[in-house]
Amino acid sequence: MMDTEQLGTHISKQFNTDLENLREEVLAMGGIVEEQITLALDAFTNNDSDIADKVIANEKMVNAKEMKIDEACTKVLAKRQPAAGDLRLIVTILKTITDLERMGDEAEKVARMAKALANKELATAHVKLHYGALLHLGNHVKKMLHDSLDAFARMDVESAINVAKLDNQADEEYNAISRQLITYMMEEPRRISEVLDFMWSARALERIGDHANNICEYVVYLVQGEDVRHKSWDEMQRLAKDE
């Protein structure tokens, strides 16, 4: 459930309801994107074209959710003319749904690459050795997404910062996968096409981690009113202590 204590109350009960509905819609959209990532990973690790097709088809749901929330935010801005914390909430929601939509795009990319590999019936043992690494990276960034949404729901700056710190691990895992596969492509140039599909999938997952990191920065902005996109973790941590 969304922590609403920090937002205060308004004379208009409908305004409170509108804000609460917007927050719940963001979390619902996040849940859809989480499921998309889960299915994309399943499609990839099981070479399942049917699951991949489901992810591709469901991308329309993510896009529709973004448009619905965007329109609702526009109506609130026009009708209520929110200020201070309420305005920051609307801005945070608009930015968050953009990142969620892009995560959905990245999950779709993984699904498309999974379908391409399944259709090629890739049987290269060396490449398949890295499926576990890709699955680990995928689960890592999916947890980052889940925890960033939890920090948003609870308006928890410290949790948001802790999740943002995990982005380095995602980068390191992606870089390790890339180095190993580049070496393999040099040794087996005939497999470059298949390996590139694998690498693009790893890159898409790494980008999901970046978007989860963005959501964490928005949480700090929402609660503290401070833009921390170019601040260090130490500076962000000091903000959390000042909360």
Side-chain angles (χ1 to χ4, degrees):
M1 291 294 293
M2 174 68 67
D3 181 359
T4 59
E5 290 183 1
Q6 299 184 50
L7 291 179
T9 58
H10 307 90
I11 295 175
S12 171
K13 291 184 179 179
Q14 185 58 49
F15 191 11
N16 288 330
T17 300
D18 290 343
L19 293 176
E20 179 64 22
N21 288 341
L22 283 171
R23 292 190 293 264
E24 294 298 331
E25 287 288 338
V26 171
L27 295 177
M29 182 180 179
I32 295 173
V33 174
E34 278 190 65
E35 180 66 15
Q36 285 284 87
I37 298 169
T38 298
L39 292 175
L41 290 171
D42 287 346
F44 201 100
T45 55
N46 295 314
N47 290 328
D48 194 321
S49 293
D50 291 336
I51 296 178
D53 286 334
K54 183 176 181 180
V55 175
I56 294 167
N58 286 351
E59 172 59 13
K60 294 179 181 178
M61 294 172 55
V62 178
N63 295 338
K65 202 74 168 175
E66 181 196 22
M67 293 176 65
K68 178 183 177 182
I69 298 171
D70 189 287
E71 182 179 359
C73 285
T74 301
K75 289 180 179 179
V76 169
L77 286 170
K79 186 176 181 180
R80 304 294 182 182
Q81 298 181 344
D86 295 330
L87 181 58
R88 291 203 304 272
L89 174 61
I90 299 299
V91 171
T92 296
I93 287 173
L94 288 169
K95 289 185 175 184
T96 296
I97 62 174
T98 297
D99 277 277
L100 288 174
E101 190 275 332
R102 289 174 181 170
M103 288 188 203
D105 289 343
E106 300 298 344
E108 182 187 11
K109 288 178 187 177
V110 175
R112 290 188 182 279
M113 293 303 100
K115 186 173 181 179
L117 288 172
N119 291 340
K120 291 174 183 176
E121 297 182 352
L122 180 63
T124 307
H126 185 94
V127 175
K128 285 193 172 182
L129 285 174
H130 298 285
Y131 273 45
L134 185 129
L135 181 61
H136 188 274
L137 173 59
N139 286 329
H140 177 74
V141 299
K142 186 175 68 170
K143 187 175 189 306
M144 284 184 65
L145 168 58
H146 180 86
D147 290 349
S148 67
L149 290 170
D150 182 64
F152 168 76
R154 294 186 293 110
M155 298 185 187
D156 188 333
V157 171
E158 187 170 359
S159 293
I161 293 172
N162 289 335
V163 175
K165 289 181 180 180
L166 298 176
D167 191 38
N168 267 0
Q169 181 181 334
D171 293 342
E172 290 170 2
E173 290 188 26
Y174 166 69
N175 289 334
I177 292 171
S178 297
R179 286 194 300 269
Q180 293 167 4
L181 291 178
I182 288 172
T183 299
Y184 177 67
M185 284 190 289
M186 293 172 65
E187 297 172 350
E188 294 288 343
R190 292 174 298 176
R191 294 292 184 178
I192 287 177
S193 176
E194 291 92 335
V195 175
L196 283 177
D197 285 342
F198 190 100
M199 287 184 66
W200 295 143
S201 297
R203 175 58 176 164
L205 292 173
E206 187 271 336
R207 288 294 296 144
I208 289 173
D210 290 341
H211 290 301
N213 178 76
N214 290 346
I215 293 175
C216 292
E217 292 175 349
Y218 305 151
V219 171
V220 179
Y221 165 74
L222 171 60
V223 177
Q224 297 287 359
E226 179 111 12
D227 189 338
V228 296
R229 286 176 293 180
H230 304 293
K231 292 186 181 294
S232 68
W233 287 333
D234 287 340
E235 291 173 307
M236 293 170 67
Q237 200 77 52
R238 282 196 291 273
L239 279 175
K241 291 178 181 179
D242 293 339
E243 184 182 358

